[in-house]
Amino acid sequence: MGEAIFTSKAPAAIGPYSQAIKAGDFIYVSGQIPLDPSTGEVVEGIEKQTEQVLQNLKAILDEAGATFREVVKFTIYLKSMDDFATVNEIYGSYLAEPYPARATVEVSRLPKDVLVEMDVICYQK
């Protein structure tokens, strides 16, 4: 199947899945929610939640020997599209051109009733 990636610097999986899987030249990072890995608690507010999600993704990518520069696809799940501009601004501060492909969708509910979740696909050659 592939190699499981795990780091204690990101929240542990809360179900039967891996933080990420390395399969060939690709790394598939599971959806990350804004849990602070040191406390296991959800951080409050859309700004802090977005920062925490990106920090969790970064920690997993670091463990896999990858960076945001190698991410080819982001998926962003929002509780409300009203938060799109805020999330987009913070998200953009973590990236450089050429930007990855992306989908952003509003969903009715996310785990632990958080406001944002993101997953990524990374390509390493």
Side-chain angles (χ1 to χ4, degrees):
M1 173 166 109
E3 172 192 348
I5 307 296
F6 173 80
T7 178
S8 61
K9 294 177 182 174
I14 55 175
Y17 61 90
S18 298
Q19 287 175 330
I21 292 289
K22 182 169 178 63
D25 294 334
F26 289 92
I27 301 166
Y28 298 88
V29 182
S30 294
Q32 294 299 300
I33 61 173
L35 290 175
D36 180 329
S38 64
T39 65
E41 299 295 319
V42 173
V43 298
E44 295 297 320
I46 191 60
E47 293 90 354
K48 288 183 180 174
Q49 286 197 9
T50 303
E51 288 279 353
Q52 187 65 61
V53 166
L54 288 159
Q55 286 299 314
N56 292 345
L57 289 169
K58 182 182 180 309
I60 295 167
L61 290 171
D62 286 348
E63 184 67 25
T67 69
F68 282 123
R69 292 213 41 97
E70 297 161 299
V71 170
V72 295
K73 177 71 171 24
F74 257 89
T75 306
I76 301 174
Y77 308 90
L78 296 175
K79 172 73 175 160
S80 171
M81 272 299 174
D82 292 340
D83 293 326
F84 180 86
T86 300
V87 171
N88 197 50
E89 182 176 337
I90 296 166
Y91 158 90
S93 72
Y94 280 75
L95 303 171
E97 291 187 43
Y99 299 117
R102 182 178 84 182
T104 304
V105 295
E106 181 179 270
V107 296
S108 63
R109 193 166 183 202
L110 290 164
K112 297 191 176 276
D113 293 317
V114 300
L115 303 174
V116 60
E117 178 175 1
M118 297 180 197
D119 64 58
V120 300
I121 300 171
C122 180
Y123 177 73
Q124 288 185 308
K125 190 67 178 166

